[in-house]
Amino acid sequence: MSAHPTGRHAASPRMQIKLTVAILAGAGILSSASVWAQNAQAVAEQEAAAPVSAVTSVTVTGVRRAAQSAQNIKKNADDVIDSIVAEEAGKFPDKNVAEILGRVTGVQIRREGGEASSVIIRGLPGLTTLLNGREVYTSGGRNLYLADIPTTMLSRIDVYKTQSAEMVEGGTAGVVDVRTARPFDFAGFSGNLATRVEDRDKSNTRDPQVSGMVSNRWKTAYGDFGALFGLSYQLGRYHDEATWSSPPSNTVTSDPTITAPFDMGHTNSRGERTRYAGNWAFQWRPSNTVELYAEGWSTRIDHDMERQFMISGLGWNANSKYTLFPGTRQVDTVTSTGNLNALSSNQTPQDDSETHQAAIGGRWNVSPSLKVTSEFVRTYSKWQQEMPIMEMSAHPTTVTASTYKNGGAYYDYPGYNMMDPSNYTLGAFIDNWSSTRGSSNDWRGDVTWNAGEEHFFREFSGGVRLAKRKASYQHESANFLGVPETGLPAVTSLPGLTCPSMPLANDYGMNRWLVICEQYQHANLDAWRKMYGRDGKTAPDPYSLYNNSEDTTAFYGKTRFGFDAGKVPIEGTLGVRVVKTELDVKGFSRNLRDEPVPVHRNVSDTDVLPNLTLKASLTDKLIARFNAGKAIQRPAFGDFNPGVSLGATPDGLGIYGGSGGNPDLKPVTGKNADLALEWYFAPTGSLTATVFKHKFENYIIRSLALETIDGKQYRMDRPRNVNKGQLEGVEFGYRQFFDFLPGWLGGFGMEANYTYLKGHLVDGGKEVPFAGLSKNSYNIVGLYERGPLSARLAYNWRSKFVDTFNYRTLAAPVGPLDLVVDPIKTADASISYRVTDNLGFTLDVENLLDRTYHDYHGIASNPRDIRRYDRVVGLTMRLKF
């Protein structure tokens, strides 16, 4: 190590620690994808372990220690980053990664299907997911479905708002890096076991979950060895419900200026999701200068679901009687008589998914100043689904409906028994299946040379990454089977065919109806196919089939520098990443004779991605940052598919549905700038503000447009690039434990954050909103920790947003419609008690407010969905040994 220079830097213990970590890094720094975040973690752990203050008696454990570590990672990092650190091995306040991220500044999530699902950063979906700094994904997608990672195997989660040159490219909105534990993270033997039971109110289920991890390390004549194994099992059964109205249209024949839905419906969804996950790691350090490792992670998910639809045509005719909302031309209530259509449809998808990743690599400290790392990664993921849809028709003669009662679509069939199987006839059969595969080989090598803290240029690093990625997809052909000319049996002649639907939790008129039983559908699938004139599973649809191959070659160079501006120390990094991407797209398009024609496209792009960071230590507690850089986001593989998928039945306006891809898509380019001011006034106290601006080129959106194919009109959903867009905003974050309060009051703490976003895309010369962008969002988390007791109460709110822009193009006077989502608010709570140092219990409640999801057609008085979800109560026991 270089001798200590004289002057300001020699007196900084934090800088000494950082320099030591940079040279003598252990297993946590095996690739340079997150080098400085991991350096910050090492500093954070040492600072968090120190006493809080000579005048306090607060013990730094659990929640406080995790908050200190997360705060110090943010403070010491070069990039704009937010981290969540485990309170202890595998202990987080939520059960999967996606749920945790919902409380990070600038991050929003959706919760449906029994758990948190999609994750967006600063209102945008263009993020990259990493596992221990490595690219990871689900099947043919670009990103990992983050709910698939249980928190029990994690050490921390890093959310990057900016990207350094050494990081894997691909996130214009940000990067989520999930870090698992390794054996050298522990001093010796360590083990834990967590068991949990969840009670859900709407599904009325009680489900078990169990996870465990063991780790050990040994000193031998051949060096230090370490091994770690972790396993997780989760069962989750859930219930979601929705009531909905179709878009307003000119259905009132006597007055075309009046708008009303053509039909309404109820949807009950229930599912059973079984998730298995495991991770393992081996480390060998034969000397202080060499370390080798192998580690991996796997997950498997079996997800059986049932979606029970009742679709009610409102029977608009000359005799329909209706009322209007006062002062509008919108229908409020309607009563129709005649030969009505009521469709019972049961979708029963069964999904199987698995992902595996393994890595081998090593680190060699060639000298005190020179470090070399190398790593090879293999990833494989697949997903497949069978989703038969079986339908029956009921034949009521009268319907009464209100377009907005109890918050949603309300309708009933007076005098008609919807629970009598003799009132139903068999309808269409939709025989769906699909599958996708993804795999990659990924090698990278990195070199870091430390020049010493006394120089302006203190460190130089560079590296190369070679990756080959493959993705494929296919689904069935001719999935729609109508009623054959020979007819179908009576519903009452098939034993075990029908079941009562799940009851709706809220009052929306008709509460239950009959559906074809989920068990019957899968047990009799081949026999049902024969009844509709088909033998076995159909061949793939050639228009759905694609096989894509993507080769990536990336080089980067980076320097870390430092100087003084007067009495203010300045640190910074300057780097550039050059990425060449060669994409080979193979699929099929349709010619004028309705025949498949092979399509083969080769595309090659080279992107230069510069990045600059500056960090000024204005005082020991006040830091200013500036980050600027360029990032790219590649389109989803499926978006390149030149084929189309066409629906078989029209809607009430006689228009069919369809979707397709676009082999000419370009990657999204983002030019990002962040300016931050951060005040760290206590070991667990901070106030931060960040102003940011992103400019985009070739942003990808999906939009609907009417197309005529084979003489029929289709409302086609396709991806396309728009010329440009921009997003700007500000983030505020606050964290503090009130240690200065007397006695038990000193256990209270708070975390809060707020994000303001403003942006638009330019499409055809017109400014349009980003889909999913809420202008305002905030989180407030109340914390308490005193002795063996800790508690948390979290509230999350985000303002309304456009889910889909121009998702229905209708004739005047209705015109184009956006699908808008009302503000979403969620509250969760937990309380933990540590019986001994090795045994603790946690009781938590998710969805305290019994939230609803409400979206609407353009204006709030034209609702589409009202959705309700389970309230979940969980009891967890944690045991350390």
Side-chain angles (χ1 to χ4, degrees):
M1 184 180 298
S2 301
H4 292 307
T6 59
R8 62 216 172 256
H9 298 298
S12 171
R14 182 179 68 82
M15 191 59 68
Q16 295 173 23
I17 294 171
K18 188 169 184 178
L19 182 57
T20 302
V21 171
I23 297 174
L24 301 177
I29 311 176
L30 295 171
S31 75
S32 60
S34 296
V35 169
W36 290 112
Q38 298 219 25
N39 291 351
Q41 168 71 350
V43 176
E45 290 174 350
Q46 296 200 33
E47 292 182 359
V52 175
S53 169
V55 297
T56 66
S57 59
V58 177
T59 302
V60 184
T61 60
V63 177
R64 270 184 176 81
R65 183 182 177 89
Q68 279 192 356
S69 294
Q71 178 169 301
N72 283 312
I73 290 172
K74 182 177 181 70
K75 178 182 177 182
N76 297 314
D78 292 316
D79 293 292
V80 178
I81 181 177
D82 288 286
S83 294
I84 304 172
V85 179
E87 297 174 24
E88 56 189 51
K91 183 182 179 183
F92 284 87
D94 299 277
K95 63 179 182 291
N96 69 52
V97 172
E99 291 185 356
I100 291 177
L101 292 175
R103 280 181 281 281
V104 173
T105 306
V107 177
Q108 292 91 37
I109 62 173
R110 287 197 185 185
R111 302 193 192 197
E112 57 190 355
E115 62 186 15
S117 54
S118 59
V119 176
I120 58 176
I121 298 177
R122 291 175 173 174
L124 302 178
L127 60 91
T128 292
T129 54
L130 305 178
L131 180 66
N132 295 318
R134 310 174 191 114
E135 185 179 29
V136 67
Y137 47 83
T138 299
S139 60
R142 289 289 187 185
N143 301 313
L144 181 69
Y145 186 71
L146 288 167
D148 288 347
I149 305 180
T151 57
T152 50
M153 61 177 57
L154 303 183
S155 60
R156 78 176 195 271
I157 305 164
D158 297 328
V159 179
Y160 291 87
K161 313 294 180 59
T162 62
Q163 290 181 255
S164 297
E166 74 273 14
M167 297 179 68
V168 177
E169 71 283 346
T172 53
V175 176
V176 177
D177 191 1
V178 181
R179 295 276 167 181
T180 59
R182 291 164 173 159
F184 284 0
D185 294 343
F186 308 97
F189 177 81
S190 179
N192 63 72
L193 175 69
T195 60
R196 174 182 170 89
V197 61
E198 284 188 348
D199 179 276
R200 296 174 181 260
D201 64 342
K202 294 179 179 59
S203 60
N204 194 27
T205 56
R206 289 158 191 84
D207 298 323
Q209 300 177 4
V210 61
S211 62
M213 183 270 291
V214 292
S215 177
N216 205 356
R217 57 189 298 177
W218 303 269
K219 288 186 178 294
T220 74
Y222 301 99
D224 289 355
F225 288 91
L228 179 148
F229 297 93
L231 291 173
S232 173
Y233 165 81
Q234 295 180 349
L235 173 63
R237 291 173 290 176
Y238 61 87
H239 175 115
D240 298 347
E241 73 173 35
T243 182
W244 52 269
S245 294
S246 65
S249 57
N250 314 110
T251 55
V252 182
T253 55
S254 60
D255 190 340
T257 68
I258 294 175
T259 62
F262 183 81
D263 50 27
M264 295 178 171
H266 300 327
T267 306
N268 274 322
S269 300
R270 63 182 170 194
E272 179 175 314
R273 182 187 292 107
T274 306
R275 182 178 279 121
Y276 309 88
N279 67 311
W280 52 270
F282 298 98
Q283 291 176 279
W284 176 36
R285 188 179 294 160
S287 69
N288 288 335
T289 61
V290 175
E291 187 170 305
L292 302 175
Y293 70 95
E295 66 178 347
W297 169 81
S298 295
T299 183
R300 176 178 172 82
I301 303 96
D302 296 326
H303 186 190
D304 296 343
M305 190 176 178
E306 181 177 12
R307 290 191 288 259
Q308 302 173 344
F309 286 82
M310 170 52 66
I311 304 172
S312 172
L314 296 184
W316 287 102
N317 57 55
N319 297 319
S320 297
K321 296 180 173 57
Y322 58 87
T323 64
L324 303 179
F325 284 106
T328 75
R329 305 299 288 170
Q330 293 177 243
V331 167
D332 178 13
T333 65
V334 61
T335 299
S336 294
T337 59
N339 185 17
L340 304 175
N341 177 42
L343 180 68
S344 169
S345 177
N346 203 15
Q347 303 180 1
T348 59
Q350 292 186 345
D351 296 6
D352 295 307
S353 174
E354 60 183 78
T355 300
H356 309 275
Q357 185 176 84
I360 57 173
R363 179 254 323 161
W364 178 27
N365 289 350
V366 182
S367 71
S369 300
L370 183 63
K371 181 179 69 176
V372 178
T373 65
S374 182
E375 179 178 80
F376 176 78
V377 185
R378 170 67 176 173
T379 307
Y380 174 76
S381 184
K382 66 177 182 178
W383 172 89
Q384 59 188 23
Q385 180 190 79
E386 279 202 353
M387 190 178 71
I389 303 174
M390 298 183 182
E391 298 181 345
M392 301 185 296
S393 292
H395 309 280
T397 56
T398 302
V399 62
T400 61
S402 175
T403 58
Y404 203 171
K405 183 176 179 180
N406 289 345
Y410 184 104
Y411 62 91
D412 203 358
Y413 301 109
Y416 196 83
N417 185 1
M418 296 297 287
M419 300 298 291
D420 183 353
S422 65
N423 283 335
Y424 289 85
T425 55
L426 291 181
F429 170 45
I430 299 94
D431 192 7
N432 298 307
W433 64 264
S434 55
S435 66
T436 181
R437 299 285 189 275
S439 64
S440 63
N441 295 321
D442 184 335
W443 173 83
R444 67 178 298 159
D446 301 85
V447 177
T448 302
W449 179 55
N450 193 298
E453 296 298 297
E454 68 274 20
H455 297 104
F456 177 84
F457 291 109
R458 300 172 179 177
E459 183 180 88
F460 296 90
S461 58
V464 59
R465 175 176 178 260
L466 306 176
K468 187 175 186 64
R469 175 79 196 276
K470 294 182 179 180
S472 63
Y473 173 81
Q474 60 183 4
H475 66 65
E476 79 295 320
S477 61
N479 61 339
F480 183 84
L481 300 174
V483 177
E485 294 182 359
T486 55
L488 293 169
V491 170
T492 54
S493 68
L494 299 172
L497 177 69
T498 60
C499 291
S501 70
M502 295 170 274
L504 293 165
N506 203 40
D507 181 14
Y508 295 117
M510 183 199 66
N511 186 256
R512 303 188 81 175
W513 61 97
L514 290 182
V515 297
I516 297 178
C517 303
E518 176 188 14
Q519 294 82 1
Y520 187 96
Q521 292 196 23
H522 288 280
N524 298 277
L525 189 53
D526 284 334
W528 200 264
R529 287 167 172 153
K530 288 183 178 180
M531 193 167 69
Y532 280 79
R534 170 174 290 170
D535 287 328
K537 185 176 178 180
T538 64
D541 181 351
Y543 301 110
S544 73
L545 179 64
Y546 68 78
N547 286 281
N548 293 347
S549 178
E550 184 178 83
D551 292 345
T552 303
T553 304
F555 300 89
Y556 81 89
K558 178 180 175 181
T559 183
R560 184 170 63 89
F561 58 86
F563 61 93
D564 281 350
K567 295 183 178 180
V568 177
I570 307 290
E571 294 179 280
T573 65
L574 178 64
V576 63
R577 188 177 188 87
V578 180
V579 185
K580 182 178 181 181
T581 306
E582 296 178 285
L583 178 66
D584 189 6
V585 178
K586 295 180 180 179
F588 293 88
S589 66
R590 188 185 302 264
N591 65 14
L592 296 176
R593 296 186 300 275
D594 198 25
E595 298 169 335
V597 179
V599 174
H600 185 196
R601 297 282 179 88
N602 290 106
V603 181
S604 180
D605 293 301
T606 299
D607 296 283
V608 179
L609 310 175
N611 177 267
L612 170 69
T613 75
L614 293 171
K615 181 168 66 173
S617 298
L618 304 178
T619 70
D620 290 342
K621 298 180 179 180
L622 187 64
I623 294 174
R625 299 179 189 274
F626 174 74
N627 290 57
K630 183 179 178 181
I632 60 168
Q633 182 73 34
R634 300 183 181 99
F637 285 110
D639 285 346
F640 289 113
N641 186 12
V644 296
S645 179
L646 303 177
T649 56
D651 62 13
L653 301 176
I655 301 174
Y656 295 79
S659 62
N662 182 353
D664 298 319
L665 286 175
K666 300 177 182 178
V668 181
T669 299
K671 297 177 181 178
N672 311 324
D674 289 67
L675 182 62
L677 188 63
E678 302 165 359
W679 179 33
Y680 299 96
F681 55 83
T684 51
S686 63
L687 184 63
T688 63
T690 305
V691 179
F692 53 88
K693 186 169 186 176
H694 303 324
K695 291 187 176 181
F696 299 98
E697 295 178 1
N698 299 318
Y699 197 86
I700 297 173
I701 65 172
R702 297 195 71 94
S703 60
L704 295 173
L706 293 177
E707 298 181 20
T708 300
I709 301 175
D710 197 23
K712 299 178 181 178
Q713 270 201 315
Y714 289 86
R715 189 177 290 108
M716 294 295 294
D717 178 11
R718 295 184 186 271
R720 58 187 175 88
N721 293 110
V722 297
N723 291 335
K724 58 183 180 179
Q726 71 176 40
L727 173 70
E728 53 193 14
V730 60
E731 298 172 344
F732 296 98
Y734 166 73
R735 172 189 284 124
Q736 185 174 15
F737 270 91
F738 307 121
D739 303 325
F740 54 85
L741 294 176
W744 62 271
L745 293 174
F748 282 104
M750 175 180 287
E751 294 180 352
N753 58 67
Y754 166 77
T755 303
Y756 170 82
L757 299 170
K758 179 183 178 182
H760 64 269
L761 298 168
V762 178
D763 185 16
K766 179 182 177 182
E767 291 187 0
V768 299
F770 285 97
L773 182 70
S774 292
K775 180 177 288 188
N776 299 283
S777 63
Y778 64 83
N779 292 280
I780 300 176
V781 184
L783 302 169
Y784 188 82
E785 184 176 49
R786 194 73 173 179
L789 180 67
S790 62
R792 174 180 59 95
L793 177 61
Y795 179 81
N796 170 273
W797 183 89
R798 62 181 295 194
S799 61
K800 69 178 182 179
F801 58 91
V802 175
D803 181 272
T804 307
F805 174 74
N806 196 16
Y807 92 114
R808 290 288 250 190
T809 302
L810 300 170
V814 179
L817 292 173
D818 297 340
L819 183 62
V820 182
V821 181
D822 251 357
I824 297 175
K825 45 187 176 291
T826 303
D828 310 317
S830 69
I831 184 168
S832 298
Y833 188 79
R834 200 170 60 250
V835 180
T836 70
D837 288 342
N838 297 323
L839 178 64
F841 292 88
T842 299
L843 179 68
D844 58 79
V845 183
E846 190 269 320
N847 191 18
L848 272 172
L849 302 177
D850 195 20
R851 68 183 181 277
T852 60
Y853 177 100
H854 175 206
D855 57 17
Y856 48 87
H857 306 290
I859 58 174
S861 57
N862 272 325
R864 189 184 80 157
D865 290 354
I866 298 293
R867 309 178 196 173
R868 287 181 163 81
Y869 311 96
D870 281 309
R871 177 182 286 121
V872 184
V873 180
L875 178 63
T876 303
M877 181 193 75
R878 289 185 173 88
L879 179 66
K880 294 192 297 182
F881 51 87

